[in-house]
Amino acid sequence: MMSDRLDLAMEKPTATLPPRRRPALKPPSIAVAFLTFFAFTFAFNFFTSSLNDFSFPCPFASSSSQPQVDISRILRHLRIFDRIVDYHNGNRHASGTGYDASAQYVERILGQDSCDVLERQEFDAPYWKQLEPANVSLVVGSARTRMERWEDAVIQLEEGRDFELVHGPSAQWVNASVVQLDGLGCKLARKLILNLPGYEVWDKVIIVERPSLEFMKGRGRGGGGDTAFGCSLNDVIYAAFAYGAKGLVITNGEHDGAGLWPLKGMQDVEWKDSGVDRLPKLPVLSTSYSVGQLLRNDALISLNSSASVDVIKTFNLLCTWEPSAAVASNDTETLVIGAHLDSVATGPGIVDNASGSAAILEWLRALKKAGWWSKGGQGKLEDGGVLPAERRIVWAWWGAEELGLVGSQYFASKSVEPLNVVAAINVDMIASPNGVPRIVNASSAPVDSVIAPSQKIQKRFETEFRLVKESWERADSGMFNSDDWSFLEAGVPTGGLLNGASKLKTQSQREVYGGMANAQFDPCWHRGCDTFENVNVSLLKLMSRVGFNNVQYLAKKKDLKKWLWNGRND
């Protein structure tokens, strides 16, 4: 049956159809083809780069000249740092094995082919450790009131709210009397040494008010009449100890807010490898403004504290990109890009400051991958762009920042002049969970002469924020709060990025940036909860993008020093 049907089908006459005529296609014009190619390339780059790429792509540039930073790689670094603390007592502090393990991880990522010189710059650092909670009480009122109603006259202070033990050895005071003095600078140190009238401190506790930023700006070259240049807090402590003082109390001023003196556990930014003789010989406390008022009204103070002060050995991790030997000279300009690698002893420090450390590690990798550098001299980009011939870049992971900026201070004292460091970038806390995009305010630099060139770097950061259509604000370079201070104090133009730590977000900031008003920028700052879960990924992405773009701009800038100091914003 099947074969019969096939036969019939084969016998059925078929008509021959003429070929279908198709309209002739005109070749597209060159303009249309160009626009189509441009639109396709732009769309492809935009949608693919928006996921992982922090740079704005140009469809006409070669792929090798397009530095691209992958957020997933930064997050991967942060996860590893977070895991490291699980095996190292919950922290990456400069005194422990967690810091060394963190440095080993960075070294492993860099390998042998990411630096001309990869080294550990070793130094000594003062390490203060509080062994037990401190007990502080005041006896207030007149002498007669104290005798008649002793229990009512005693006020027990709360550590962390009313006071903090800041530095120094163990001590026990019982109803010590106080003496109020002015300032923390060289004048105070000299008056103590000279034992001038009104500055007799034997067997007393010295009270001074927390210095203002304007006062601290006198620390640098060309400072004011009561400058602290060469006179750190420890100089005052040493002079006070020499003349029999029991201790030093730094009280908040009326306008300092509720936060206590921020330098807990360090206190010697003038350390610079000084040695054991410079270790503080008496305890230092910080108090709130209200406690300070009580002390100024002749209150007596008692203290029972347990602490240790030692010298430890630690290091900075430095990766240097050198110019080729043919062009290297004393005029080679060095750009330093740094972030501190250590944490406090009380937590993992993933936001503070594994976030900055991971970011600059990935910036380095991205520039290397894009051909900006090759071992033995800078790489040549395929589009013809090159780093300036005499440009050195130092990628730095600072040690002992949490002990008083010791690592960056050491580098600044030993390397700024020999390496001809002309600019520095500091990245510290760029993933705060309730943070705000912030740029270091160059106007707050401790050295007046360095304000104008630092403003050039600041304005470049502001330009990068505008290019990505994001808001930002300026934040003062706090007194020794981060490593940018070390370079500013050394006269090096410096810029920095941060998101905030213990201060509270205002309602107006919430309206612009979101988050929670009247809550800390980072509630886990210097605490055990500063883990990977504390990371603000969207803020990390924004800050990394802005920072990376500015680093590219500065790294490629010819005659960087001249540009910074010539006063023009070109």
Side-chain angles (χ1 to χ4, degrees):
M1 182 70 70
M2 181 66 69
S3 61
D4 292 342
R5 291 179 179 176
L6 287 175
D7 292 341
L8 292 172
M10 293 178 65
E11 293 174 359
K12 184 177 181 180
T14 58
T16 303
L17 298 175
R20 180 179 297 174
R21 298 186 62 185
R22 293 176 180 163
L25 296 176
K26 295 182 179 180
S29 67
I30 295 176
V32 172
F34 176 81
L35 291 174
T36 303
F37 169 77
F38 181 90
F40 175 79
T41 305
F42 178 83
F44 176 79
N45 281 336
F46 178 81
F47 287 111
T48 57
S49 66
S50 63
L51 297 176
N52 295 318
D53 182 10
F54 290 129
S55 62
F56 189 80
C58 171
F60 302 106
S62 63
S63 59
S64 63
S65 65
Q66 296 269 331
Q68 299 178 357
V69 175
D70 188 340
I71 183 65
S72 65
R73 290 185 62 91
I74 296 178
L75 294 174
R76 190 179 309 141
H77 298 324
L78 295 182
R79 288 185 184 276
I80 297 299
F81 286 131
D82 196 29
R83 291 173 188 167
I84 284 173
V85 304
D86 293 338
Y87 301 93
H88 298 278
N89 300 315
N91 66 70
R92 299 179 300 104
H93 191 262
S95 66
T97 57
Y99 179 71
D100 187 71
S102 298
Q104 288 183 38
Y105 171 71
V106 174
E107 290 168 330
R108 182 170 66 82
I109 295 298
L110 294 174
Q112 298 297 317
D113 60 348
S114 294
C115 316
D116 286 307
V117 180
L118 178 60
E119 61 179 330
R120 293 186 174 191
Q121 183 186 48
E122 296 185 346
F123 56 88
D124 290 340
Y127 175 40
W128 175 85
K129 184 177 181 180
Q130 184 173 352
L131 304 176
E132 299 288 344
N135 185 293
V136 176
S137 61
L138 305 181
V139 179
V140 298
S142 65
R144 180 175 180 179
T145 302
R146 295 169 185 166
M147 295 299 295
E148 293 178 351
R149 302 185 62 184
W150 184 265
E151 291 183 359
D152 294 340
V154 177
I155 299 177
Q156 188 70 40
L157 302 186
E158 180 181 340
E159 188 169 11
R161 187 188 69 176
D162 301 319
F163 80 95
E164 287 276 17
L165 187 62
V166 170
H167 209 357
S170 300
Q172 290 78 39
W173 312 328
V174 178
N175 297 334
S177 58
V178 301
V179 55
Q180 180 178 349
L181 303 179
D182 295 324
L184 273 178
C186 289
K187 282 186 178 179
L188 177 55
R190 286 195 298 269
K191 289 174 180 177
L192 288 170
I193 292 172
L194 294 174
N195 201 26
L196 296 177
Y199 288 82
E200 300 89 352
V201 296
W202 182 266
D203 207 34
K204 295 181 180 179
V205 175
I206 298 172
I207 303 175
V208 294
E209 187 172 307
R210 175 175 169 175
S212 66
L213 179 62
E214 286 70 26
F215 169 82
M216 296 311 299
K217 285 178 68 173
R219 291 182 51 81
R221 302 164 187 169
D226 194 15
T227 70
F229 184 60
C231 300
S232 71
L233 172 59
N234 206 58
D235 289 312
V236 176
I237 296 172
Y238 190 86
F241 172 78
Y243 286 88
K246 285 179 173 291
L248 178 67
V249 175
I250 303 170
T251 73
N252 276 4
E254 185 175 1
H255 303 293
D256 285 328
L260 300 175
W261 175 263
L263 305 182
K264 181 178 175 66
M266 43 77 56
Q267 297 338 114
D268 199 1
V269 294
E270 298 291 346
W271 172 262
K272 297 183 176 66
D273 222 25
S274 300
V276 295
D277 290 340
R278 193 173 172 81
L279 293 176
K281 306 297 191 297
L282 50 80
V284 181
L285 283 76
S286 70
T287 74
S288 65
Y289 174 72
S290 58
V291 170
Q293 290 297 90
L294 291 173
L295 289 171
R296 291 183 182 91
N297 289 321
D298 297 323
L300 305 178
I301 183 170
S302 298
L303 165 71
N304 189 344
S305 67
S306 178
S308 63
V309 186
D310 299 302
V311 175
I312 63 171
K313 290 191 177 295
T314 186
F315 57 90
N316 297 319
L317 183 61
L318 307 176
C319 171
T320 303
W321 287 0
E322 293 282 1
S324 64
V327 298
S329 70
N330 293 334
D331 295 326
T332 298
E333 294 182 342
T334 299
L335 170 65
V336 176
I337 303 159
H340 76 86
L341 185 59
D342 64 315
S343 75
V344 292
T346 54
I350 301 306
V351 170
D352 183 17
N353 179 44
S355 62
S357 294
I360 69 168
L361 177 60
E362 199 53 27
W363 296 353
L364 181 156
R365 186 204 68 84
L367 292 180
K368 172 178 174 288
K369 184 177 180 181
W372 283 48
W373 171 89
S374 61
K375 205 170 185 68
Q378 292 100 337
K380 182 178 178 62
L381 305 181
E382 291 183 11
D383 65 354
V386 295
L387 289 174
E390 294 190 353
R391 175 60 41 80
R392 178 188 294 111
I393 300 179
V394 175
W395 303 87
W397 289 266
W398 307 120
E401 190 268 359
E402 300 291 3
L403 296 179
L405 320 184
V406 184
S408 58
Q409 287 273 326
Y410 182 81
F411 178 90
S413 67
K414 302 294 184 181
S415 304
V416 162
E417 291 188 9
L419 293 182
N420 189 27
V421 176
V422 299
I425 297 295
N426 183 55
V427 187
D428 192 355
M429 296 186 68
I430 58 170
S432 301
N434 194 37
V436 167
R438 308 179 97 184
I439 305 168
V440 171
N441 183 7
S443 299
S444 65
V447 183
D448 289 341
S449 62
V450 84
I451 290 177
S454 295
Q455 285 176 330
K456 301 287 281 294
I457 302 176
Q458 170 193 310
K459 291 181 184 300
R460 278 304 313 171
F461 276 123
E462 293 174 356
T463 297
E464 296 299 340
F465 274 111
R466 290 191 188 99
L467 288 174
V468 297
K469 300 181 180 179
E470 293 286 352
S471 300
W472 76 92
E473 65 181 33
R474 300 170 186 170
D476 285 345
S477 177
M479 294 174 292
F480 327 124
N481 280 354
S482 193
D483 294 299
D484 57 293
W485 188 276
S486 300
F487 291 92
L488 291 168
E489 193 177 40
V492 177
T494 305
L497 292 175
L498 65 160
N499 290 158
S502 61
K503 290 187 177 180
L504 303 182
K505 176 176 282 188
T506 64
Q507 179 61 33
S508 60
Q509 287 173 324
R510 178 186 180 277
E511 292 171 359
V512 176
Y513 305 104
M516 296 181 62
N518 302 314
Q520 290 180 316
F521 292 130
D522 184 0
C524 288
W525 178 65
H526 285 188
R527 297 177 60 194
C529 56
D530 188 9
T531 62
F532 182 81
E533 286 69 29
N534 193 42
V535 171
N536 185 332
V537 176
S538 61
L539 194 52
L540 174 65
K541 182 174 181 178
L542 170 63
M543 302 300 285
S544 296
R545 178 179 184 178
V546 167
F548 183 55
N549 289 344
N550 200 21
V551 163
Q552 292 178 72
Y553 181 88
L554 296 174
K556 292 187 68 175
K557 190 73 176 177
K558 293 182 179 180
D559 296 322
L560 179 58
K561 184 175 182 179
K562 182 179 180 181
W563 175 76
L564 287 168
W565 291 88
N566 71 4
R568 296 195 305 270
N569 288 319
D570 51 340

